[in-house]
Amino acid sequence: MSVRHFLTLLDFSPAELDLIIKRGIELRRMQHADTIYQPFVGRTLGMIFEKSSTRTRISFEAGMGQFGGQAIFLSSKDTQLGRGEPIEDSARVISSMVDIIMIRTFGHDQIETFAKYSSVPVINALTDDYHPCQLLADMQTYYELRGSIAGKTVTWVGDGNNMCASYMTAAHQYGFQLRIAAPYGFEPAPELMQQFSHCVSLVNDVQEAALGAHLIVTDVWASMGQEGEQSTRARRFASYQVTPSLLDKADAEVLFMHCLPAHRGEEISHDMLDDPRSAVWLEAENRLYAQKALMEFLLTDKIQLS
Ligand code: CP
Ligand code: NVA
């Protein structure tokens, strides 16, 4: 049987994604009830980080620990990957020693190459193009708070970045309509707009994009690797700040999400995260359970039955 990887949401079927969300909710319930569930004693997660992280590192490391396994943090600064050892060679060697691998890196092609040569499942923990683990947590959070997202309207405000592209794949897989309000020149790539034209549209005016929305989402104006563009972007994105008054245009049951870290005073107003419609803290916590459900799904053949 060929190894399954999770590089974008398109790697799984809608039914599988639905299963993972529901399992994530169950795993959260179990953890909150102090239930010990350790199907992966003796199993190892390799975690390769080429960019910074708070949520992703802690959620994967704590999740594997709760499962009874262990996680190894591998920074590219301290491994031979950072000194130019070919990705193909690294993938063969690392995957011969661990059971599952997550990678946070720059080029999406790098994780594709790694996955091609890996003998164990590889999870995308963020590339320049996609952040699918965050979408599992976001979709789980919406489901927990509002039920199915199918048929709803989601509004993306801001940069057409890796999170925006992940929402495009989610619109396709979970069956919602995505409106994107991005400054001119910062929209998602035309090929992506073409691929997802059945469920994604561009709306120039932010206020109009928010009308009747069931979920409003944004992200930082300059992603990791774009720090040098911060001041130019701050000027171009100035009218794309998400505020409680923008949410007033949306559906009465609207939720607000942000993958975090957030920059108050930039992409969100200072009071946005404290608004009762903001779901960001549950969204962040759910990284843990969505990824536990994901690892359990990818390691099904290794589950220890007690
Ligand atoms: N949202 C997210 O991926 O956060 P970190 O960069 O802290 O991992
Ligand atoms: N778009 C952001 C997401 C951080 C979790 C980045 O890539 O830096």
Side-chain angles (χ1 to χ4, degrees):
M1 202 179 76
S2 66
V3 182
R4 299 277 308 263
H5 303 295
F6 184 63
L7 305 190
T8 78
L9 289 182
L10 303 180
D11 288 327
F12 289 0
S13 69
E16 289 170 333
L17 292 171
D18 194 47
L19 199 73
I20 289 170
I21 283 181
K22 290 181 179 153
R23 182 62 177 156
I25 293 171
E26 172 65 5
L27 288 167
R28 179 167 185 263
R29 192 197 57 72
M30 286 162 63
Q31 190 65 26
H32 282 232
D34 281 334
T35 307
I36 303 294
Y37 171 59
Q38 300 195 320
F40 298 131
V41 173
R43 302 293 174 187
T44 305
L45 164 71
M47 305 193 304
I48 299 172
F49 280 94
E50 300 201 284
K51 291 176 173 173
S52 305
S53 169
T54 296
R55 281 144 287 269
T56 304
R57 177 176 177 182
I58 297 171
S59 52
F60 269 110
E61 199 162 329
M64 201 47 170
Q66 289 171 7
F67 272 154
Q70 60 177 328
I72 304 176
F73 175 76
L74 300 157
S75 156
S76 56
K77 291 192 201 83
D78 309 317
T79 59
Q80 301 290 3
L81 264 169
R83 297 183 58 250
E85 183 167 11
I87 293 173
E88 295 86 337
D89 298 358
S90 303
R92 282 196 177 101
V93 173
I94 296 170
S95 68
S96 73
M97 299 182 194
V98 303
D99 300 281
I100 187 165
I101 297 167
M102 59 116 288
I103 304 178
R104 169 167 285 197
T105 188
F106 291 86
H108 194 74
D109 57 328
Q110 293 181 36
I111 199 168
E112 287 177 336
T113 304
F114 196 105
K116 187 170 163 196
Y117 289 90
S118 171
S119 56
V120 301
V122 173
I123 295 170
N124 178 1
L126 184 146
T127 62
D128 289 345
D129 294 356
Y130 294 101
H131 193 6
C133 290
Q134 183 68 52
L135 263 291
L136 291 181
D138 288 18
M139 294 298 102
Q140 178 180 325
T141 304
Y142 191 90
Y143 191 86
E144 273 186 277
L145 297 175
R146 295 285 185 267
S148 172
I149 200 164
K152 305 280 190 201
T153 298
V154 178
T155 298
W156 175 270
V157 181
D159 193 16
N161 63 12
N162 46 8
M163 276 299 300
C164 181
S166 303
Y167 263 89
M168 295 170 83
T169 57
H172 174 74
Q173 294 290 60
Y174 291 97
F176 59 81
Q177 286 296 315
L178 179 68
R179 293 182 197 146
I180 298 173
Y184 180 73
F186 294 93
E187 304 93 343
E191 313 83 70
L192 277 184
M193 288 306 301
Q194 173 71 31
Q195 186 182 354
F196 297 106
S197 57
H198 56 288
C199 54
V200 178
S201 56
L202 291 177
V203 179
N204 287 332
D205 182 65
V206 186
Q207 306 288 323
E208 187 190 325
L211 282 180
H214 301 98
L215 172 62
I216 295 185
V217 197
T218 192
D219 187 12
V220 291
W221 291 341
S223 287
M224 289 182 276
Q226 299 172 332
E227 288 80 4
E229 300 172 28
Q230 176 64 36
S231 54
T232 319
R233 284 171 170 262
R235 280 194 299 279
R236 296 295 308 281
F237 284 77
S239 59
Y240 288 79
Q241 186 179 81
V242 178
T243 62
S245 67
L246 183 70
L247 266 69
D248 291 342
K249 311 264 180 220
D251 186 84
E253 293 282 288
V254 69
L255 291 176
F256 169 73
M257 293 191 196
H258 186 313
C259 63
L260 305 180
H263 296 173
R264 291 170 177 83
E266 293 184 22
E267 77 276 4
I268 54 162
S269 57
H270 286 273
D271 52 355
M272 190 58 249
L273 300 189
D274 303 318
D275 188 279
R277 295 166 290 186
S278 166
V280 296
W281 308 123
L282 178 61
E283 179 190 6
E285 183 193 338
N286 274 339
R287 291 294 304 280
L288 172 59
Y289 302 109
Q291 289 154 201
K292 284 182 77 176
L294 172 65
M295 288 193 285
E296 191 184 55
F297 181 85
L298 289 169
L299 291 173
T300 330
D301 56 328
K302 299 198 170 167
I303 284 182
Q304 289 179 356
L305 297 172
S306 50

